[in-house]
Amino acid sequence: MTMPPPSVGNLRGAVDLSSLVNRANAPAGAAAATPGVPAPGAEGAPVGTLPSLVLEGTDANFTGYIELSNTVPVIVDLKADWAEASKELTALLVKLVTEYAGRLVLVGVEAQENPQLAQAFQAQSVPTVAALVGGRPLSLFQGTYPEEELRAVLEQVLQLAAQNGVTGTVSVAGADASVADAGEPVEEPLPPHHAEAYEAIEKGDYALAIAEYQTAIAQNPRDLLAVAGLAQVQLLARLQDKSLDEIRAAAAEAPDDLDAQLLVADLDLSGGHIDDAFGRLLDLFPKQDPDGKNTVRTRLLELFEVVGTDDPRVAGARRRLAGLLY
């Protein structure tokens, strides 16, 4: 769900990074040891050369990025590769950050794999975006934003950074700060129907994207990427033009309404509350007639594809579903 653009007014203290900064027995200067992160330069001067403007952050290496933010603002993208909305926002952040040619650095954090950072930045859903300016955290927003609104947010971060004396820049080793130089791998062209589906998703035409994935599956039933893509875009389509409050209110008012409960499970999963989504549907399953059970089972299988069938939470939910079936 998209929220109104945030107003970046000051460095708020709601986010506490002390657990990451004050590690037990951490030697002085350890922050600069983060791979690829140079020691900060003088105010207003280039920090140095980075291997990329798009870097990966973890619970283990994040202290170096806190130090880096003393000279150049660091945008923090808490994300999940399984969430289509998160992937789309990440791509947009990469595009915009590289356009700023070293005045910003983007650090991506896989929220599920880095629980300390997810907790520190209060990432209750993905995507969650924050910033670091002068070593201090700044909560920005959760959810997604159109490009121009996102650009306005980044401009506000830069203005706030300037007010706090954080005006340095970085350069990318050996090349200009392009998307390719920002560490994004060069990908092979997508198969035609996949490419058409992606283009449709970018335009918000989920019906066309669904049709393209269905065509790809009809041509090759073993096209697992198309199966996963279809499940993801179907989820997006079900949630399109619906607000969080509307969905939750409808489910609360009609606990026996199957469609309402299915939709709130979609909402839970889209916000990263995977166990809640699976648990809701598995609790719902035994109460249904045969048609209803088949509907719940089908929805669960779709959501398994969205999360990824190798995810341990999917394995647990699949075992519980098998127990209910047999």
Side-chain angles (χ1 to χ4, degrees), residues 282 301 304-305 309 313-323:
L282 290 165
L301 295 179
F304 291 167
E305 291 290 344
T309 54
R313 291 164 296 187
V314 170
R318 197 185 292 277
R319 286 193 297 269
R320 186 177 167 192
L321 177 61

mmCIF file of all heavy atoms in Angstrom, residues 282 301 304-305 309 313-323:
data_model
loop_
_atom_site.group_PDB
_atom_site.id
_atom_site.type_symbol
_atom_site.label_atom_id
_atom_site.label_comp_id
_atom_site.label_asym_id
_atom_site.label_seq_id
_atom_site.Cartn_x
_atom_site.Cartn_y
_atom_site.Cartn_z
ATOM 1 N N LEU A 282 -4.723 -21.773 6.983
ATOM 2 C CA LEU A 282 -4.753 -23.144 7.507
ATOM 3 C C LEU A 282 -5.804 -23.300 8.605
ATOM 4 O O LEU A 282 -6.431 -24.357 8.733
ATOM 5 C CB LEU A 282 -3.361 -23.534 8.008
ATOM 6 C CG LEU A 282 -2.319 -23.724 6.896
ATOM 7 C CD1 LEU A 282 -0.915 -23.743 7.469
ATOM 8 C CD2 LEU A 282 -2.600 -25.008 6.115
ATOM 9 N N LEU A 301 -1.324 -22.657 -2.271
ATOM 10 C CA LEU A 301 -0.306 -23.058 -3.248
ATOM 11 C C LEU A 301 0.214 -21.844 -4.020
ATOM 12 O O LEU A 301 1.413 -21.756 -4.329
ATOM 13 C CB LEU A 301 -0.880 -24.103 -4.208
ATOM 14 C CG LEU A 301 -1.254 -25.453 -3.576
ATOM 15 C CD1 LEU A 301 -1.839 -26.385 -4.623
ATOM 16 C CD2 LEU A 301 -0.053 -26.095 -2.889
ATOM 17 N N PHE A 304 2.526 -19.993 -1.689
ATOM 18 C CA PHE A 304 3.800 -20.710 -1.569
ATOM 19 C C PHE A 304 4.733 -20.294 -2.705
ATOM 20 O O PHE A 304 5.944 -20.112 -2.497
ATOM 21 C CB PHE A 304 3.576 -22.227 -1.638
ATOM 22 C CG PHE A 304 2.867 -22.819 -0.439
ATOM 23 C CD1 PHE A 304 2.365 -24.119 -0.492
ATOM 24 C CD2 PHE A 304 2.702 -22.094 0.734
ATOM 25 C CE1 PHE A 304 1.720 -24.679 0.590
ATOM 26 C CE2 PHE A 304 2.041 -22.643 1.830
ATOM 27 C CZ PHE A 304 1.550 -23.944 1.758
ATOM 28 N N GLU A 305 4.195 -20.131 -3.904
ATOM 29 C CA GLU A 305 5.018 -19.722 -5.041
ATOM 30 C C GLU A 305 5.526 -18.294 -4.870
ATOM 31 O O GLU A 305 6.651 -17.976 -5.264
ATOM 32 C CB GLU A 305 4.210 -19.831 -6.343
ATOM 33 C CG GLU A 305 3.899 -21.247 -6.766
ATOM 34 C CD GLU A 305 5.127 -22.012 -7.230
ATOM 35 O OE1 GLU A 305 6.157 -21.382 -7.513
ATOM 36 O OE2 GLU A 305 5.049 -23.253 -7.298
ATOM 37 N N THR A 309 9.231 -21.764 -2.888
ATOM 38 C CA THR A 309 8.960 -23.104 -2.355
ATOM 39 C C THR A 309 10.094 -23.658 -1.506
ATOM 40 O O THR A 309 9.912 -24.660 -0.812
ATOM 41 C CB THR A 309 8.656 -24.073 -3.506
ATOM 42 O OG1 THR A 309 9.730 -24.030 -4.466
ATOM 43 C CG2 THR A 309 7.357 -23.692 -4.211
ATOM 44 N N ARG A 313 9.368 -21.664 5.895
ATOM 45 C CA ARG A 313 7.993 -21.413 6.331
ATOM 46 C C ARG A 313 6.986 -22.055 5.393
ATOM 47 O O ARG A 313 5.906 -22.494 5.808
ATOM 48 C CB ARG A 313 7.754 -19.910 6.461
ATOM 49 C CG ARG A 313 8.523 -19.280 7.614
ATOM 50 C CD ARG A 313 8.582 -17.782 7.506
ATOM 51 N NE ARG A 313 9.326 -17.367 6.323
ATOM 52 C CZ ARG A 313 9.653 -16.112 6.060
ATOM 53 N NH1 ARG A 313 9.273 -15.155 6.880
ATOM 54 N NH2 ARG A 313 10.337 -15.802 4.982
ATOM 55 N N VAL A 314 7.352 -22.121 4.123
ATOM 56 C CA VAL A 314 6.502 -22.817 3.162
ATOM 57 C C VAL A 314 6.490 -24.310 3.466
ATOM 58 O O VAL A 314 5.433 -24.960 3.434
ATOM 59 C CB VAL A 314 6.991 -22.554 1.724
ATOM 60 C CG1 VAL A 314 6.278 -23.473 0.731
ATOM 61 C CG2 VAL A 314 6.770 -21.097 1.349
ATOM 62 N N ALA A 315 7.656 -24.873 3.775
ATOM 63 C CA ALA A 315 7.728 -26.300 4.086
ATOM 64 C C ALA A 315 6.851 -26.633 5.292
ATOM 65 O O ALA A 315 6.116 -27.635 5.290
ATOM 66 C CB ALA A 315 9.179 -26.701 4.345
ATOM 67 N N GLY A 316 6.900 -25.774 6.322
ATOM 68 C CA GLY A 316 6.083 -26.020 7.507
ATOM 69 C C GLY A 316 4.597 -25.935 7.203
ATOM 70 O O GLY A 316 3.799 -26.770 7.662
ATOM 71 N N ALA A 317 4.208 -24.931 6.437
ATOM 72 C CA ALA A 317 2.797 -24.782 6.089
ATOM 73 C C ALA A 317 2.331 -25.922 5.183
ATOM 74 O O ALA A 317 1.195 -26.398 5.304
ATOM 75 C CB ALA A 317 2.572 -23.436 5.399
ATOM 76 N N ARG A 318 3.205 -26.376 4.306
ATOM 77 C CA ARG A 318 2.842 -27.474 3.411
ATOM 78 C C ARG A 318 2.606 -28.758 4.210
ATOM 79 O O ARG A 318 1.675 -29.525 3.915
ATOM 80 C CB ARG A 318 3.939 -27.687 2.369
ATOM 81 C CG ARG A 318 3.480 -28.503 1.168
ATOM 82 C CD ARG A 318 4.649 -28.775 0.231
ATOM 83 N NE ARG A 318 5.132 -27.586 -0.423
ATOM 84 C CZ ARG A 318 4.593 -27.067 -1.519
ATOM 85 N NH1 ARG A 318 3.508 -27.608 -2.046
ATOM 86 N NH2 ARG A 318 5.112 -25.984 -2.072
ATOM 87 N N ARG A 319 3.438 -28.986 5.224
ATOM 88 C CA ARG A 319 3.241 -30.171 6.066
ATOM 89 C C ARG A 319 1.910 -30.102 6.801
ATOM 90 O O ARG A 319 1.181 -31.100 6.903
ATOM 91 C CB ARG A 319 4.394 -30.305 7.068
ATOM 92 C CG ARG A 319 5.694 -30.781 6.460
ATOM 93 C CD ARG A 319 6.688 -31.194 7.522
ATOM 94 N NE ARG A 319 7.058 -30.065 8.382
ATOM 95 C CZ ARG A 319 8.088 -29.262 8.138
ATOM 96 N NH1 ARG A 319 8.830 -29.439 7.047
ATOM 97 N NH2 ARG A 319 8.380 -28.265 8.951
ATOM 98 N N ARG A 320 1.603 -28.922 7.328
ATOM 99 C CA ARG A 320 0.326 -28.781 8.047
ATOM 100 C C ARG A 320 -0.850 -28.962 7.087
ATOM 101 O O ARG A 320 -1.850 -29.606 7.448
ATOM 102 C CB ARG A 320 0.266 -27.414 8.713
ATOM 103 C CG ARG A 320 -0.972 -27.251 9.589
ATOM 104 C CD ARG A 320 -0.987 -25.916 10.297
ATOM 105 N NE ARG A 320 -2.307 -25.675 10.874
ATOM 106 C CZ ARG A 320 -2.709 -24.505 11.363
ATOM 107 N NH1 ARG A 320 -1.865 -23.477 11.360
ATOM 108 N NH2 ARG A 320 -3.928 -24.363 11.833
ATOM 109 N N LEU A 321 -0.749 -28.445 5.873
ATOM 110 C CA LEU A 321 -1.818 -28.614 4.895
ATOM 111 C C LEU A 321 -2.001 -30.090 4.544
ATOM 112 O O LEU A 321 -3.138 -30.575 4.428
ATOM 113 C CB LEU A 321 -1.489 -27.805 3.627
ATOM 114 C CG LEU A 321 -2.480 -27.938 2.464
ATOM 115 C CD1 LEU A 321 -3.868 -27.454 2.884
ATOM 116 C CD2 LEU A 321 -1.986 -27.163 1.247
ATOM 117 N N ALA A 322 -0.893 -30.803 4.384
ATOM 118 C CA ALA A 322 -0.989 -32.227 4.077
ATOM 119 C C ALA A 322 -1.706 -32.974 5.193
ATOM 120 O O ALA A 322 -2.517 -33.875 4.946
ATOM 121 C CB ALA A 322 0.414 -32.815 3.862
ATOM 122 N N GLY A 323 -1.413 -32.579 6.455
ATOM 123 C CA GLY A 323 -2.103 -33.209 7.574
ATOM 124 C C GLY A 323 -3.586 -32.954 7.561
ATOM 125 O O GLY A 323 -4.394 -33.829 7.922
#
